[in-house]
Amino acid sequence: MSEKNSRPAWGLLQQDAVELLRAKYWNNTKALKSLLTGNTEFPIQISLKPPKGNAALNNISHFQDFVDSWKSFCEQAEYESIQVNVHWETVIFRSISEQQVPTYLTIPDISSLSRMLGDAEEQQLKDWQSRISYIFDSLSIELAKRTVHTIRSTYERELFSTLVANLEILSGFSKLELELLVKLIPQLHKSMGRGSYLRALPVIFVDTKFIEKNLKLIESVTAAIIDCSAKEMGLLSWLDCRDKPKDWLLVKPLCKNAADALGGLPLLRMSSETLLDFELPANNILVIENEQSCLSLDNIPDTIAVSGGGKNVSWMRANWLANKRVAYWGDIDSEGLAILSDVRSKLSTITPLMMDFETVEAYRDRMVDEPESVTREPVALTDRELMLFRMLRNGDYGSTRLEQERLPMDFVYEKVRVWAG
């Protein structure tokens, strides 16, 4: 048994108290930020767990260490001007007469707490204070230069709370990044993006990659200083900026006429957002789960393929699809059928291709196992599709997935060309 574990539960030594304070207040992010913002008020007190009854008599050695530890601390605190108070009480013990016993510790402010914990914590606090002071002082100068747009009259308290809430981010900022932040905020105003992408935001000195990288922090600071609705709406909406597309889809014309209608391009990328409004120039639209399967197709009349969306089929609610013949081809597994269900919920006229019992029966020897089956039953499958979903999920074919790429191309071409007419 270690020396620490063999000690009695009473009588915290100086290092014990330091470890307790560090764990409870400094390394506990929520508690520390609450102290910094004043939501938890100073002074804070911790009991030093003085001995009760005959406990001191039963372990005189530890009692002496306990008293000496805090006498030594008081001398150190006085010498180093650490404003931490140790409270003592006079206790009369049998056999060892009257003794001054340390009972609890009072810490008046955050600076005293950091100094008691050690050099690292003291330096960390100074760094935080320096960064926050820089932001306040610099923002005051920048805001004074700009009177065109409204600045909230009493923003200081909310700004301070916002900066404390984002200490982890601010601690990692370079001097340049701090400067970019204070130069940026006064330039922002509602609807200034005018429907452009964020990277086209008309700001000076600040690069828009910095904005993109620190969007949430900028949103919070903007809400604190300029307009609280920036946080309620989200910064992009408040600025009237479009977010950059995240879901690029592969668009492949499958015949010369369709390629010519797309400027002669054999392949192109479009975002889901673009496809909601941009009507593809072909009567047949083939939606394919996997890009590789899409790339294998060619020479299908009056057809354009869209692939690579996986589960993202949000664009298929586009109004222009109602005037097209649309088919969907995905893997035959629980996830593929779940995606088919999602597609049909957006476009009821969808035609599934090669996602049926016949295809599974013909190529069941090529099946593999699906990494993880979908548990919830899809709501927009036909009765036969739902039966296939259940059989695949239950492993009735031995394996649970027939991948698109495992189907022979002569079979695929026959099915696609029959559908395309």
Side-chain angles (χ1 to χ4, degrees):
M1 184 179 293
S2 71
E3 179 182 350
K4 185 173 181 179
N5 290 335
S6 66
R7 281 171 27 195
W10 57 266
L12 293 184
L13 304 183
Q14 178 185 342
Q15 189 54 40
D16 299 330
V18 167
E19 290 176 6
L20 186 152
L21 288 165
R22 183 178 286 118
K24 186 175 181 179
Y25 293 108
W26 203 269
N27 293 342
N28 182 329
T29 302
K30 184 177 180 180
L32 176 60
K33 290 180 178 180
S34 185
L35 285 173
L36 288 167
T37 58
N39 291 329
T40 299
E41 295 184 355
F42 282 96
I44 57 176
Q45 292 184 348
I46 63 165
S47 171
L48 300 180
K49 299 183 180 180
K52 296 181 180 179
N54 294 324
L57 299 176
N58 295 331
N59 196 328
I60 293 292
S61 175
H62 179 63
F63 177 72
Q64 194 61 53
D65 290 341
F66 172 54
V67 173
D68 290 346
S69 173
W70 290 107
K71 284 182 178 178
S72 174
F73 172 79
C74 289
E75 292 173 0
Q76 176 191 357
E78 183 177 1
Y79 178 74
E80 298 181 6
S81 300
I82 301 175
Q83 302 300 314
V84 174
N85 297 319
V86 180
H87 298 263
W88 299 77
E89 289 184 4
T90 301
V91 180
I92 299 176
F93 296 99
R94 288 183 302 169
S95 304
I96 56 174
S97 69
E98 183 177 282
Q99 296 288 326
Q100 291 292 312
V101 179
T103 55
Y104 64 93
L105 198 64
T106 300
I107 302 171
D109 52 46
I110 193 70
S111 295
S112 299
L113 175 62
S114 70
R115 292 196 68 190
M116 181 170 183
L117 295 182
D119 293 341
E121 288 80 5
E122 186 177 7
Q123 185 55 50
Q124 189 175 37
L125 178 63
K126 287 179 179 178
D127 181 63
W128 290 337
Q129 291 171 331
S130 173
R131 288 168 183 268
I132 290 175
S133 295
Y134 171 81
I135 292 171
F136 266 85
D137 294 344
S138 301
L139 270 176
S140 296
I141 295 171
E142 293 297 324
L143 292 172
K145 295 177 183 177
R146 301 175 185 274
T147 57
V148 177
H149 305 296
T150 303
I151 303 298
R152 298 178 69 183
S153 58
T154 55
Y155 66 83
E156 288 86 355
R157 175 64 187 170
E158 191 166 347
L159 175 60
F160 180 76
S161 296
T162 296
L163 297 178
V164 170
N166 290 277
L167 272 181
E168 296 90 344
I169 297 172
L170 293 175
S171 295
F173 269 19
S174 66
K175 184 178 180 181
L176 173 60
E177 287 171 318
L178 289 170
E179 184 180 7
L180 290 174
L181 179 65
V182 299
K183 293 284 189 183
L184 170 68
I185 298 301
Q187 299 184 59
L188 301 182
H189 59 91
K190 194 172 184 178
S191 302
M192 67 183 291
R194 298 182 180 181
S196 64
Y197 287 111
L198 181 63
R199 287 295 182 97
L201 196 68
V203 293
I204 59 173
F205 187 78
V206 182
D207 62 277
T208 49
K209 185 173 183 179
F210 170 80
I211 304 175
E212 190 175 84
K213 182 181 176 183
N214 298 286
L215 206 61
K216 285 299 179 183
L217 171 63
I218 294 166
E219 177 182 278
S220 297
V221 176
T222 301
I225 293 179
I226 300 172
D227 183 357
C228 61
S229 68
K231 197 169 186 69
E232 296 164 5
M233 296 173 63
L235 187 63
L236 287 178
S237 296
W238 185 79
L239 291 170
D240 189 20
C241 283
R242 300 165 65 187
D243 199 0
K244 68 177 182 180
K246 300 186 178 95
D247 52 357
W248 293 105
L249 301 172
L250 180 70
V251 177
K252 185 178 190 294
L254 300 182
C255 66
K256 185 177 185 306
N257 288 343
D260 289 344
L262 288 170
L265 295 171
L267 288 173
L268 62 156
R269 293 281 185 186
M270 288 187 179
S271 67
S272 292
E273 184 182 13
T274 301
L275 279 171
L276 278 172
D277 299 314
F278 181 81
E279 181 176 347
L280 294 175
N283 286 318
N284 300 321
I285 305 299
L286 176 57
V287 183
I288 304 174
E289 181 182 348
N290 187 289
E291 284 190 0
Q292 296 303 317
S293 297
C294 175
L295 292 171
S296 68
L297 292 176
D298 206 356
N299 297 319
I300 310 296
D302 199 13
T303 303
I304 293 177
V306 180
S307 70
K311 295 179 183 179
N312 176 25
V313 293
S314 60
W315 69 275
M316 296 195 68
R317 67 181 187 274
N319 293 331
W320 61 267
L321 284 173
N323 302 318
K324 306 289 186 180
R325 297 175 69 248
V326 187
Y328 180 78
W329 174 34
D331 290 333
I332 310 180
D333 58 10
S334 66
E335 185 173 276
L337 289 167
I339 297 172
L340 172 60
S341 172
D342 194 17
V343 168
R344 186 177 282 124
S345 70
K346 293 173 173 57
L347 186 68
S348 61
T349 56
I350 194 76
T351 299
L353 292 182
M354 297 167 283
M355 299 184 72
D356 49 32
F357 279 106
E358 292 73 19
T359 304
V360 173
E361 292 290 351
Y363 300 104
R364 63 184 299 174
D365 60 330
R366 305 185 184 197
M367 294 178 72
V368 296
D369 284 327
E370 186 178 16
E372 186 174 344
S373 295
V374 175
T375 55
R376 180 177 296 179
E377 292 193 348
V379 297
L381 296 179
T382 65
D383 290 342
R384 283 184 63 79
E385 288 165 351
L386 185 57
M387 186 184 303
L388 178 58
F389 174 89
R390 290 169 177 167
M391 292 178 66
L392 288 168
R393 189 180 59 183
N394 295 336
D396 290 0
Y397 290 99
S399 297
T400 55
R401 165 186 278 182
L402 178 56
E403 296 172 302
Q404 291 177 285
E405 299 96 320
R406 299 292 293 173
L407 300 179
M409 287 311 301
D410 57 325
F411 173 80
V412 171
Y413 267 108
E414 178 186 356
K415 294 294 185 181
V416 173
R417 282 175 174 152
V418 168
W419 163 74

